[in-house]
Amino acid sequence: MCGIVGYVGEQQASPLLMDSLKRLEYRGYDSAGIATLHEENITVWRSSGKLTNLQNVIAGAPMPGTVGIGHTRWATHGEPTEANAHPHRSGHLVLVHNGIIENYVELKHDLAGDGYEFQSETDSEVVAHLIHRWMAKGHGFQESVRLGLKDLAGSYAIVLLSEDAPGMLVAARAGCPLVVGLGDGDFFIASDIPAILHHTRKIIFLDDGETCTVANNQITITDLDGITREKTPTHIDWTPGMAEKEGYRHFMLKEIHEQPQVVLHTLMGRYNPEHGDAVLPDLGLNPDTIRNLTRLWLVACGTSWHSALIGKYLIETMAKLPVHVELGSEFRHRDSLLNKDDVVIGVSQSGETADTLAGTREATARGAHVIALCNSVGSTMTREADGILYTHAGPEIGVASTKAFMGQVTAFYLLALLLGRTRGAMTPEDGVAWCSHLAGIAPHIEHILATEPEIERIAGKYYRDSDALYLGRGLNFPIALEGALKLKEISYIHAEGYAAGEMKHGPIALIDRQMPVVVLAPRDHLYDKMVTAVREVKARNGLVVAIVTEGDDTIVDLADDVYRIPEVDPMFTPFLVTIPLQLLAYHIATLRGTDVDQPRNLAKSVTVE
Ligand code: AGP
């Protein structure tokens, strides 16, 4: 939800902090601030609005110091004002925080009773005063942090700096991500890897309940009781360029164009075209478990939930295994029938989504085998799971998920193959055909990307509209949901995805000349039903934008605009139908002038409930 950073080393801190915050802006961008310590004095600068506002504020102001912290905010408690921006100060110490403190109200009353005055409406400022109070009672900086954190309920990733401990940073996490980068005589602390990847690839992932102290070129990690924990750094093989725009106008467009590679990288080494089977050793599932499995649960949110719906269709069709798809935010609050004999897959790009994590943690508590289908190496979900299925999409910076979704879809095709062949529901011949189709997908995506101007032209006709309906059936019903989500979250047009068969049960009342209807009608066993849907819309003077298979000779005569995808086996159309919808949303949003990479009110990783 927010981005936090810290630096201690031999270089001037402020430019490094600002550069890292820029790389974290996708996590939240309604206010920002940094603090540096020089000659035992902490200087704090904060501003509301985007990071450029803070840049302007500190442009002429001296910010000396080789140690500092920074924050870019996605407001949860209190308006996005300068007063509510981080870092928050309490006497000689300053703090930045990501997360939500659930007991901050009672803590605030208690602190006020001890004479503390509050300058903001935030829960984060309470944490600063809480730790200050422990130091005022004579405890050391690190111990005071540990004692203060024991008083908290909720989630946090924090970094603190104190005038009483020059050259020292203390950090901690519970429920929100935090990584430590080991440089050459420098230490970098951040919410996410892209913020510090251009400095170092040696990363330590903090776990929940751990604190980290960096001082005198040393790093110490402990639990909240001060017991030291040994952590081995992970070498991250992403290049810094992977986290940059590389000439594209927006991260989102770059990431849409990276999707052929994402499919190839996610498939690489995980299937055997000759034998027609998949190789997924990190799931932690043995063949007998797979054969005896009676049901599978998929837990996810947003776009990841859409890919899970595709996973359901594929796995039930190819492996004859019942699949329950659950929204994380719903699943965590109902008494599901989940038990120890089940397998649960958490589907998440970030691996940090609070609602999804709550679902996987509930599954673990019930003894189920939990797998993380995830794009973020070392994220919380991957470190808590029994098994892992990584989508090798590389860092996804755009808030609207595109290439990560493609990686998830690819992973589900691999999973369906593994489960189908292991359970005997797919013959070797079925498997060889499945692998052949998978191997041929990337070039088809390249072909669609090369025809982007066609989609840009269509976007030019509809970007002024205020509503849109997306219709699909079968495997493409989840794609209709995903296309609508892409449009609404970056263009702010009210778009709804619907099962096409549901049109006559209500949504058809919405059809008029102002309501463009995007119809997903590739050649498959439901094509004729989609032709009927197009006719229903046209009979009510609706506008139809149809995604059809090359060679279609029916819908092309009925629709107002048509985009043709290459012919593929019907079971593989989701790979291709998705791309024009992503590009349509992108170009409509660009024409509307919205902030495509950082849409209003959103954040890349929703680490709070
Ligand atoms: C997708 O475009 C959205 N940004 C959002 O729905 C996202 O998919 C959802 O918050 C889940 O995130 P995750 O995959 O990191 O768990």
Side-chain angles (χ1 to χ4, degrees), residues 300-305 347-353 356 381 398-402 408 482 485-486 489 602-606:
C301 301
T303 285
S304 298
W305 182 69
V347 186
S348 175
Q349 187 287 129
S350 63
E352 303 296 348
T353 300
T356 308
M381 188 176 293
V399 166
S401 186
T402 50
Q408 291 167 350
E482 174 59 12
L485 175 61
K486 288 288 94 55
E489 68 176 328
L602 286 173
K604 180 63 181 172
S605 178
V606 185

Side-chain angles (χ1 to χ4, degrees), residues 468-485:
L469 201 54
Y470 285 67
L471 303 179
R473 280 180 181 261
L475 264 175
N476 287 297
F477 166 42
I479 304 299
L481 298 175
E482 174 59 12
L485 175 61

Side-chain angles (χ1 to χ4, degrees), residues 91-229:
H92 50 72
L93 67 83
V94 288
L95 160 145
V96 290
H97 166 234
N98 173 31
I100 286 187
I101 304 305
E102 292 169 356
N103 62 336
Y104 86 98
V105 173
E106 51 264 41
L107 290 171
K108 190 167 185 174
H109 287 318
D110 180 41
L111 288 159
D114 283 347
Y116 283 91
E117 293 181 3
F118 292 83
Q119 311 305 315
S120 78
E121 307 157 280
T122 69
D123 54 341
S124 307
E125 185 185 359
V126 170
V127 183
H129 294 315
L130 192 65
I131 293 167
H132 180 273
R133 186 168 64 175
W134 282 110
M135 292 184 78
K137 291 175 181 173
H139 297 277
F141 185 22
Q142 296 154 276
E143 187 188 7
S144 296
V145 171
R146 292 198 298 269
L147 290 167
L149 295 179
K150 285 185 174 180
D151 296 336
L152 297 186
S155 62
Y156 59 80
I158 57 172
V159 189
L160 293 99
L161 178 59
S162 169
E163 290 166 347
D164 291 355
M168 179 184 286
L169 286 180
V170 180
R173 67 152 285 178
C176 293
L178 203 60
V179 299
V180 184
L182 310 181
D184 182 12
D186 303 299
F187 291 88
F188 304 84
I189 299 173
S191 298
D192 204 347
I193 293 170
I196 56 179
L197 189 62
H198 51 304
H199 293 303
T200 178
R201 292 187 194 177
K202 278 177 73 177
I203 301 291
I204 289 177
F205 295 91
L206 289 188
D207 284 304
D208 283 353
E210 290 182 343
T211 74
C212 165
T213 300
V214 181
N216 308 317
N217 207 22
Q218 295 291 323
I219 179 170
T220 307
I221 293 170
T222 75
D223 62 15
L224 290 187
D225 294 320
I227 310 298
T228 299
R229 287 199 178 165

